[in-house]
Amino acid sequence: MNTANDFPRGEVAVTHAPSATEAAVETALARLDLDTKARLLAGQDRWSLPPVPEIGLKSLVMSDGPIGVRGVRWSADSPSIALPSPTALAATWDPRLAHRAGVLLAQEARRKGVHILLAPTVNLHRSPLGGRHFECYSEDPYLTGAIGSGYVNGVQSGGVGTTVKHFVANDAETDRFTVDNLISARALRELYLAPFEAIVENAHPWGIMTAYNSVNGTTMSEHHYLVNEVLRGEWGFDGFNVSDWTAARSTVDAINGGLDVAMPGPRTVYGEALSQAVRDGTIAEATVDEAVRNVLRLAVRVGALEGAEPAVTELPETVDGVELAREIARRSFVLVKNDDTLPLKPGGTVALIGAAARDARVLGGGSATVFPDRTVAPLDGLTEALPEGTLSYAVGADPNTELTTADKGFTLRAVCRDASGTVLATTGIPNGQIHWSFADLPDGVSFDTLHTVELTGTFTPRNTGPHTFGIKGKGAFSLSVDGYTHYDGVQAPDEDDPFEGFFAAPAPRAQVELTAQEPVEVSLTHLTALGDYLREDITISLAHQEPQRDPDALIAEAVAAARAADTAVVVVATTDRVESEGFDRADLRLPGRQDDLVRAVAAVNPHTVVVVNSGSPVDLPWRDEVAAVLLSWFPGQEGGAALADVLTGTHEPGGRLPTTWGSLADAPVTQVAPENGELPYSEGVFIGYRAWDKAARVPSYPFGHGLGYTDWTYKSVEMYRNVAKVRVHNSGSRPGREVVQVYLSPAERENDRPVRWLAGFAAVEAGPGETAEAVVEIPRRAFEVWDETAGSWTFIKGSYNIQVGRSVADRRINVAIDV
């Protein structure tokens, strides 16, 4: 018997005796003067708050953390476990598994001296074009809240804080620093605030991160109503509120709007500006004290305040990160189509095709980037799993049609020099990107002394031909390949975008003929000082693109391999120039000639399996022409091993769609670009499957859909007040896991309410011929709507249909109830 939200003993929200915590907070606060309090609310660097030794307060350290804990350095010196993307975690429909992921990340955070993870991201998949779609869980607020609660409970059970983000309505990337999202009160409450509310209620997070964007005219870092009245007042949130990086704009408006901490440092709107505002009488010191209390409360909880007992005194058992990454990946894979081709038949031959099969994209990038000490690509995983001589490989089509960060074949180090040319430090670099701030600089290096950074090393080409090299970043650069300087000049990207050097496209600067397996020296030198520019970070990249072979020839090679094999497995993928933080997508097409590749392979092999390596929906125009389609998301470092587990049948694919997959032409909600600075959410409460239902459109694959390797028969549903007991029978020949989904639908169609919505879910496991019972509690909120006139939730009485099934479209049993 399983429910979606029951946690075994020891897996509950972490709480702490309020009297002991608050006493420690008040004692510490009383010992702080105004300047120290103001300084404590401002980042001392990119990742931490300043220590206050006189009261025993350690520096509170933060780290990006949706899929792994990078720590305070953009470096592979301390590798990180890389779990599958948040969309993948949500595709497991398993809050317990999310809890286990959180426990692992807390373990990683403690290893790296991190107190607070800047995660999870619980914004909704409002539009499939959202560039950060892969870092968010779902289009559905209930599923998002359930997975997010599991994650937060897991992290905080390990004594590490979370910051649930981005509060609120940061659902796209276009003009994300300035966009004003216009949202009705009802849509805001029923959709966009709902996951945050659920997590506050069920997991008691220790932190919230406010977003860059504005909501209905007020920037979120100053939104008194949503932060102080809703988040803190109505919901009772007692954690700290940190700005998204560089989002805080006004000293007075931010502190009065409920923003506790302005990040990053050392230059913020708090610190000296905050204490001076108190002295000038424009801010009450009591307001500053409230913010400091929230920070001190966090410090107590994470064990950073001496003499105060932390929230967690007994840590969870150690988690094997490699094994958990592999388990989450295979549990997240969604088999959306299977014409009796999977699992692979024993003894057959397999043609593995696609550049992404060799160089898998295991994570989404941007602020979620981590550096694992190993990655298992599909080619690696299947080579290990299949008998020798049964697997062949062909590139087929390369999605990387643009320059990307130098990686495969490069061995690089960074050499830091002062103005006299003296070497200050030398450090290894995981790939062609340097992303340093004050905290990231190598030991012995400061911005006061640093004059040049040379990214240097060797490149061993995989292919003979013209290799293109490029540069991403702002300032003066010199690029040399094989002893020849190809570029010596200045690049000046958009001064108004603080992250332009991180997310912008690289500029091509050299094309060099190279020979496969013959190493050459490469060097990118960057002058860190340019005019009067004050350096606070260094974000530069050496970029590269392999020789572009004739696409038709590559596809022909793949077709020959597919024709000779019993099964063809084609891996298609997006790239970091298509799907990333920092920009939204223009379309849902796979880059390059990948669609042509799939069609050509399917034409010669009826047993063609397509594995889609993307973090969010893409168009699948060939889906009716292939035998099987498996969605693998960004599967984390063990993705290739997990894929081998699923394709060979060692494990069944366990995922269900957390978001609707359909063509862009049919998608009901697509606008992500503001006009005149404003983006109206004119669709109201109709996003995701709600919008597809309202428009009477049929997607490629509906929300909740996913196949396993066995069959399930839905036997009966019994209602006991607000609890549905669902009996399902494993009518197949293999053991399996079924996600039982319960949707609530008004008996009479109402234009202002969705046709149906997810009200609960639970997973069961059963062997062949066995029957299992899922117990799903339907919360009161499922029957409520936000009354904009009354400004409150209203319970809607009447007749409803309890619709139980395998997806929002595959509903097996209907039970009528009156409430």
Side-chain angles (χ1 to χ4, degrees), residues 166 185 250 383:
H166 306 86
S250 163
T383 298

Side-chain angles (χ1 to χ4, degrees), residues 27-53:
T27 298
L29 177 64
R31 297 175 61 191
L32 299 177
D33 61 28
L34 174 60
D35 290 323
T36 305
K37 288 187 287 191
R39 180 165 52 89
L40 183 57
L41 303 181
Q44 67 174 347
D45 53 36
R46 188 187 294 271
W47 301 116
S48 67
L49 298 181
V52 185

Side-chain angles (χ1 to χ4, degrees), residues 744 753 778-784 794-796 800 817 819:
L744 192 62
R753 298 179 79 186
I778 301 175
R780 176 183 174 86
R781 180 59 56 80
F783 298 92
E784 294 179 332
T794 299
F795 188 91
I796 305 299
Y800 291 86
I817 63 169
V819 296

Side-chain angles (χ1 to χ4, degrees), residues 571-618:
V571 183
V572 297
T574 58
T575 69
D576 60 4
R577 295 303 311 149
V578 171
E579 188 180 7
S580 173
E581 178 184 353
F583 53 85
D584 292 313
R585 292 194 282 175
D587 55 58
L588 302 184
R589 293 193 299 270
L590 289 167
R593 295 281 301 280
Q594 293 181 100
D595 288 334
D596 294 339
L597 170 66
V598 172
R599 285 191 161 119
V601 169
V604 300
N605 193 319
H607 303 295
T608 295
V609 178
V610 182
V611 178
V612 183
N613 180 195
S614 71
S616 48
V618 295

